[in-house]
Amino acid sequence: MRAPMRSVPSAGGLISPPAPDATDRTGQVTMPEKSPARPASPQVTSCTDDDIWRRVTREVADDLAVDALVRDRAGKPPFDELARLREAGLPALLTPPGPAGRGTDWRTACAVIREIAAADGSIGELLGRHYVLSWSARFFGTPERADELELRASAEQWLWGGGIDLPDTEPVTGHGLTLTPAEGGYLLHGCRSFAAGVTVADRLVLGAVRTDTGESLVLCVDPAHPGVAAVPEHDRLGQRLTAAGRISFDGVPVAADQVLGAVPRDEHALAPFATLAPLALRLALVHVGLGIAEGALAEARDITRAGARGRPADGRDEGGYAERPGADPYLLLAYGELVTDTHTAAAVVESASEALARGLRAGPELGVDQRADIAVLVAAAEAVTSRSAMRLTTRVLELTQGADSAADPLGFDRFWRNARVLTAQASPTTRLRDIGDHYLNGTHPPLTLHG
């Protein structure tokens, strides 16, 4: 019988019944007019007490950990999980800090994302992308528009989805997203794949190109419009509950006030602050990866303490340690190495998180040199955490005998699968090259909105 990752206290009513599946026989999902998991009139109480939010986050994580394996194997859209998050107020908490205690700062948000990811990597990624996208109006819009949008998003507990990935040149017909000028605004056409939120997001942040001028715009779209349709990606190797998939837009109206801002073609004209958007997303996903590694290590420890360890650390006969696996010096050595790897990665991630937090506080006053330093630290965090997460989740499989069975009844394969899919989104080689170029030649990483 599988032991939970943590001792799980009562969730206090955090679990809501799952929403019915909106998928038809073709696999296409028409975006619902209102997310089935969202209360009709959500009431979010703002709280600035870090201790309270830590306790709430821990309770939600404990709740998710109990049935994480069952939900991972079912692979359904995360409507139920989103209901649990909303019941706890996490979508409202994970918005940029604002007046009257609204939202939270970067450091607190990353701690929440990492804690949730330790219990369920998919939901950690869903929250990480949500938090970064909630900053979009600040990155690309005016302060007034940002305040208006964030206030409504927090009050209604929107879950943000989408992504900003503008083409280097004008898009080829049939690829990417385009905006055709129309009365009162534009019509949005095209399709895009996203790693999270396609079936559950309340608002989408998108990058699209005007067909008449080639200008790149960042916009906010309501996916409830009938011209928006999503096709979920089934049978993913890992991160199965992020609601990844493809969204198509067929003549969706975009009013002028839905446009958050324009993106200059020349990278030298880009504001350094706006180019924090891809860095913030990369670092949020680093926290997800680190959380997955920490969750795997903690669960393996619990299994070992319960005496359910299968394979000896060095592959030999267990000898005198069969009844006391915790006294096996080889097992202690294996855990010592894994814990040290995790602490090392956490230290590098901490440095990058502090630098990015300073950059976000600087706002439009952020300079090019400061942005370059942040980019290098984020790249280092990615490279170190990627290696650590893969090494740790692989080693945990070996220590728990998960590698010997395709079924893996203890469920440790999900940590490896989640880490593999997450780390495959970026190339450590590219990051290391950028770090070396900056260190050796003083070259600044390019100002770009590409990840």
Side-chain angles (χ1 to χ4, degrees), residues 142-166:
T142 64
E144 296 75 20
R145 179 60 176 144
D147 187 65
E148 174 188 351
L149 203 59
E150 290 166 12
L151 181 62
R152 185 180 175 191
S154 179
E156 298 183 20
Q157 292 218 76
W158 286 352
L159 182 78
W160 289 95
I164 303 165
D165 190 11
L166 296 165

Side-chain angles (χ1 to χ4, degrees), residues 254-318:
V254 177
D257 63 357
Q258 290 178 254
V259 176
L260 301 181
V263 178
R265 294 185 184 181
D266 184 0
E267 72 172 39
H268 298 291
L270 277 171
F273 180 63
T275 63
L276 287 184
L279 297 181
L281 178 58
R282 284 162 51 188
L283 189 53
L285 296 182
V286 165
H287 278 277
V288 175
L290 183 57
I292 290 172
E294 292 173 334
L297 187 59
E299 191 157 341
R301 177 196 60 196
D302 291 347
I303 293 295
T304 300
R305 285 176 173 175
R309 180 174 69 88
R311 173 182 299 181
D314 65 345
R316 74 197 190 300
D317 180 43
E318 291 189 79

Side-chain angles (χ1 to χ4, degrees), residues 40-304:
S41 302
Q43 298 294 325
V44 180
T45 302
S46 178
C47 177
T48 58
D49 190 331
D50 289 344
D51 291 335
I52 292 178
W53 280 118
R54 275 195 291 269
R55 187 177 71 245
V56 169
T57 301
R58 190 173 302 113
E59 289 179 353
V60 175
D62 288 340
D63 180 53
L64 290 170
V66 173
D67 58 351
L69 178 59
V70 174
R71 291 183 293 101
D72 174 78
R73 290 179 173 172
K76 295 181 178 179
F79 291 117
D80 170 56
E81 291 84 347
L82 187 53
R84 306 186 201 188
L85 299 178
R86 283 201 172 101
E87 191 72 22
L90 292 185
L93 172 70
L94 296 181
T95 55
R102 187 178 74 228
T104 192
D105 63 276
W106 175 258
R107 302 293 297 278
T108 301
C110 286
V112 171
I113 293 165
R114 186 164 148 190
E115 178 91 11
I116 297 297
D120 189 321
S122 295
I123 306 307
E125 181 177 353
L126 194 65
L127 278 179
R129 291 180 180 275
H130 155 80
Y131 181 62
V132 173
L133 289 169
S134 74
W135 281 80
S136 297
R138 296 199 186 190
F139 287 139
F140 304 104
T142 64
E144 296 75 20
R145 179 60 176 144
D147 187 65
E148 174 188 351
L149 203 59
E150 290 166 12
L151 181 62
R152 185 180 175 191
S154 179
E156 298 183 20
Q157 292 218 76
W158 286 352
L159 182 78
W160 289 95
I164 303 165
D165 190 11
L166 296 165
D168 294 318
T169 58
E170 294 185 20
V172 179
T173 302
H175 298 270
L177 302 179
T178 59
L179 289 168
T180 303
E183 184 178 357
Y186 307 91
L187 293 178
L188 178 65
H189 293 87
C191 57
R192 274 284 314 276
S193 293
F194 298 102
V198 300
T199 56
V200 295
D202 297 293
R203 290 298 185 277
L204 299 171
V205 176
L206 306 168
V209 177
R210 289 183 54 159
T211 55
D212 56 340
T213 65
E215 183 182 25
S216 297
L217 302 179
V218 177
L219 43 139
C220 171
V221 174
D222 185 350
H225 189 276
V228 181
V231 179
E233 183 178 342
H234 298 294
D235 301 323
R236 299 183 85 200
L237 173 66
Q239 296 296 84
R240 295 173 174 174
L241 303 180
T242 61
R246 193 168 184 83
I247 305 181
S248 62
F249 303 88
D250 185 13
V252 177
V254 177
D257 63 357
Q258 290 178 254
V259 176
L260 301 181
V263 178
R265 294 185 184 181
D266 184 0
E267 72 172 39
H268 298 291
L270 277 171
F273 180 63
T275 63
L276 287 184
L279 297 181
L281 178 58
R282 284 162 51 188
L283 189 53
L285 296 182
V286 165
H287 278 277
V288 175
L290 183 57
I292 290 172
E294 292 173 334
L297 187 59
E299 191 157 341
R301 177 196 60 196
D302 291 347
I303 293 295
T304 300

Side-chain angles (χ1 to χ4, degrees), residues 314-341:
D314 65 345
R316 74 197 190 300
D317 180 43
E318 291 189 79
Y321 301 110
E323 296 181 0
R324 293 193 308 123
D328 183 343
Y330 294 96
L331 183 64
L332 298 178
L333 175 62
Y335 272 104
E337 291 174 343
L338 296 179
V339 171
T340 300
D341 273 359

Side-chain angles (χ1 to χ4, degrees), residues 310-311 393-414 416:
R311 173 182 299 181
T393 53
T394 301
R395 192 73 175 108
V396 161
L397 267 177
E398 296 169 351
L399 292 174
T400 59
Q401 267 190 337
D404 287 344
S405 171
D408 185 18
L410 296 176
F412 283 97
D413 66 300
R414 71 182 172 90
W416 181 88

Side-chain angles (χ1 to χ4, degrees), residues 30-36 38 202-203 222-226:
T30 301
M31 305 302 284
E33 190 168 321
K34 177 177 284 190
S35 169
R38 180 175 57 203
D202 297 293
R203 290 298 185 277
D222 185 350
H225 189 276

